[in-house]
Amino acid sequence: MSFGFVAFHYPAPEHVEEFVRECHQVAEAMRRQPGFESVGVWVTPGGDAVVTTGAFESEEAFAATADLAREMGATPDGLSDLEIRPREVHFLVSR
């Protein structure tokens, strides 16, 4: 059963580009991890939210990748200094 997520991030308008760059850096590191399937970084047309997506072979593979993201300085569990409101994270499982 695959495990995934969709996360809505709300960086301050002046930090959107920096936030997107950081998301792409984490995404690139994720691509090299065992159990990785896919990752995406999206920005809403109005630029008010950055949406990240990821899919992994298992919840364990996701957890290992989240640990890697933390080591890189990302905050997969909370609010970064660039965000102005809490992110919304939804976890998904394939059936």
Side-chain angles (χ1 to χ4, degrees):
M1 177 171 18
S2 293
F3 186 85
F5 71 88
V6 175
F8 293 80
H9 308 264
Y10 302 96
E14 65 272 18
H15 295 300
V16 170
E17 293 306 315
E18 179 182 359
F19 191 86
V20 168
R21 268 193 312 279
E22 289 181 7
C23 288
H24 280 293
Q25 290 171 348
V26 172
E28 188 56 38
M30 290 169 63
R31 288 183 177 94
R32 296 187 295 270
Q33 298 306 302
F36 167 81
E37 292 181 351
S38 69
V39 64
V41 178
W42 305 80
V43 180
T44 59
D48 57 328
V50 175
V51 182
T52 55
T53 61
F56 304 85
E57 290 177 359
S58 66
E59 187 172 355
E60 294 77 22
F62 164 76
T65 301
D67 288 343
L68 170 71
R70 280 184 204 89
E71 290 172 13
M72 295 180 66
T75 56
D77 304 318
L79 191 66
S80 81
D81 293 342
L82 305 178
E83 295 171 276
I84 56 174
R85 68 180 243 214
R87 63 186 66 154
E88 301 167 26
V89 181
H90 304 276
F91 295 106
L92 311 163
V93 293
S94 65
R95 300 222 182 209

